Amino acid sequence: MESDSIECISSLDGIDVNEIVHSQLFSSSKTPHNNNNNNNNKNNNSVRPATSVHELLECPVCTNSMYPPIHQCHNGHTICSTCKERVHNRCPTCRQELGDIRCLALEKVAESLELPCKYGSLGCPVIFPYYSKLKHEAMCNFRPYNCPYAGSECSIVGDIPYLVAHLRDDHKVDMHSGCTFNHRYVKSNPREVENATWMLTVFNCFGQYFCLHFEAFQLGVAPVYMAFLRFMGDETDARNYSYSLEVGGNGRKLIWEGTPRSIRDSHRKVRDSHDGLIIQRNMALFFSGGDRKELKLRVTGKIWKEQQNPDGGACIPNLCS
């Protein structure tokens, strides 16, 4: 954005050019010289190059690792392609025009590097080639989860125990134990509810956590109500479970059965894929009975774990008692 570019450039105005040049030419200034101890020199030289290469691949503006295309100015100062646009094609170090010069040598050096996943502290043991690292980290099973709360754009991330405590303490979400549920949703004037998230309930079942969503939103020109379940974990684990939802009244009922979606999929992605129990407003008001001016829906359901049948290979349900 234009405002980002202005901020980026103005923040560099206050930095001494010599200071930036000094940080980029670290390899000559940081290498120790001790003619009296050749062994120390050999030890230092064996460690410094790896650190130096990593620092060379760090963008001087955003400090992130640089990936092709890596650009440089006529004086050899490098910058990542994203920041090249932010600084309006001006080198942040010497203020010369950057042009379209690629630093092919640095790109080639990066190909020889192998780096650990940035989620190593969370348990990921894998080491990847430099150019494969970003792709892996985007899908790493050890990466933190986003907060599944749908009532606001919550930026909190963390592991499952942390998010469960966050939902309970910060979002005041109802917590329940058990694999069956029976909820009643009441709205005095449902016609005023558009694109509204109504409720999120968390269930502890089979030692796992599940999020039950119930909300109203506009589907085309028709307002609808939707209920669906998300699993607090990865998709591969979510496939081990199934759930059913049932809503009805006046001698009629709708039943939905499916597999809970992982919270790796955003709330909006699940909702927009219509992967859940969808109730048209007229049908919802019919289920509510009375004069149809007040919404009174009772949604029941259960969660079960699919078990592999050792004889036939088919999955058989294991209902939680």
Side-chain angles (χ1 to χ4, degrees):
M1 294 176 62
E2 189 68 17
S3 58
D4 291 338
S5 301
I6 296 173
E7 289 179 5
C8 178
I9 294 174
S10 62
S11 64
L12 291 170
D13 288 338
I15 300 177
D16 188 89
V17 171
N18 293 327
E19 182 180 344
I20 302 177
V21 172
H22 175 76
S23 68
Q24 288 213 349
L25 300 180
F26 63 89
S27 57
S28 60
S29 61
K30 289 185 178 180
T31 303
H33 297 281
N34 185 353
N35 294 329
N36 296 326
N37 193 336
N38 292 330
N39 290 331
N40 288 340
N41 282 338
K42 291 179 180 179
N43 292 335
N44 286 329
N45 288 335
S46 66
V47 174
R48 290 291 178 180
T51 304
S52 300
V53 170
H54 294 164
E55 291 184 20
L56 278 172
L57 287 167
E58 183 179 281
C59 174
V61 177
C62 65
T63 69
N64 292 326
S65 297
M66 293 186 290
Y67 292 85
I70 300 175
H71 297 276
Q72 69 175 24
C73 71
H74 291 282
N75 293 323
H77 305 128
T78 56
I79 189 172
C80 73
S81 57
T82 301
C83 291
K84 180 176 181 285
E85 297 179 1
R86 293 176 59 193
V87 299
H88 299 293
N89 204 37
R90 288 285 176 182
C91 175
T93 303
C94 64
R95 303 304 175 88
Q96 296 297 313
E97 185 175 354
L98 286 167
D100 293 315
I101 305 174
R102 292 270 295 274
C103 187
L104 299 179
L106 191 56
E107 292 179 8
K108 196 69 176 177
V109 168
E111 291 181 2
S112 65
L113 294 181
E114 289 189 345
L115 300 175
C117 172
K118 71 177 181 180
Y119 302 120
S121 61
L122 299 178
C124 183
V126 187
I127 296 177
F128 281 90
Y130 186 80
Y131 290 142
S132 302
K133 184 171 176 284
L134 280 183
K135 183 177 180 180
H136 160 76
E137 289 172 348
M139 301 299 294
C140 178
N141 289 336
F142 292 91
R143 72 191 188 277
Y145 295 90
N146 294 321
C147 173
Y149 190 74
S152 63
E153 296 297 329
C154 184
S155 60
I156 294 295
V157 298
D159 58 16
I160 299 303
Y162 177 81
L163 289 181
V164 170
H166 165 67
L167 289 170
R168 181 190 65 235
D169 300 335
D170 298 329
H171 293 298
K172 310 302 180 184
V173 169
D174 289 335
M175 300 283 176
H176 296 273
S177 294
C179 300
T180 60
F181 43 89
N182 187 337
H183 283 272
R184 191 164 183 256
Y185 301 96
V186 179
K187 285 291 178 181
S188 58
N189 190 352
R191 299 184 185 280
E192 294 181 355
V193 180
E194 304 292 346
N195 296 306
T197 298
W198 285 7
M199 186 174 292
L200 170 64
T201 307
V202 174
F203 294 90
N204 184 353
C205 172
F206 294 109
Q208 306 289 342
Y209 290 94
F210 299 82
C211 297
L212 176 64
H213 297 265
F214 185 80
E215 63 182 78
F217 66 99
Q218 198 80 14
L219 181 59
V221 296
V224 298
Y225 307 108
M226 182 175 179
F228 57 90
L229 197 72
R230 287 202 291 167
F231 174 75
M232 295 189 71
D234 283 319
E235 181 181 357
T236 52
D237 294 323
R239 292 172 184 161
N240 295 326
Y241 302 92
S242 296
Y243 75 102
S244 66
L245 296 173
E246 181 178 314
V247 62
N250 287 334
R252 308 288 189 274
K253 65 181 178 181
L254 292 175
I255 299 175
W256 164 269
E257 288 191 3
T259 301
R261 296 281 288 271
S262 165
I263 60 172
R264 293 289 190 201
D265 290 335
S266 69
H267 158 266
R268 182 172 292 275
K269 180 179 180 180
V270 178
R271 191 194 75 178
D272 291 349
S273 67
H274 309 156
D275 192 1
L277 176 65
I278 296 180
I279 314 159
Q280 300 292 334
R281 174 172 286 177
N282 288 339
M283 181 65 73
L285 293 175
F286 175 77
F287 288 155
S288 301
D291 57 6
R292 301 190 182 187
K293 293 183 178 180
E294 184 177 41
L295 182 70
K296 297 178 181 178
L297 285 179
R298 183 175 298 278
V299 178
T300 61
K302 61 179 180 285
I303 305 168
W304 64 90
K305 188 174 184 179
E306 300 288 353
Q307 289 186 332
Q308 195 73 20
N309 187 338
D311 297 326
C315 289
I316 57 177
N318 176 24
L319 292 176
C320 180
S321 58

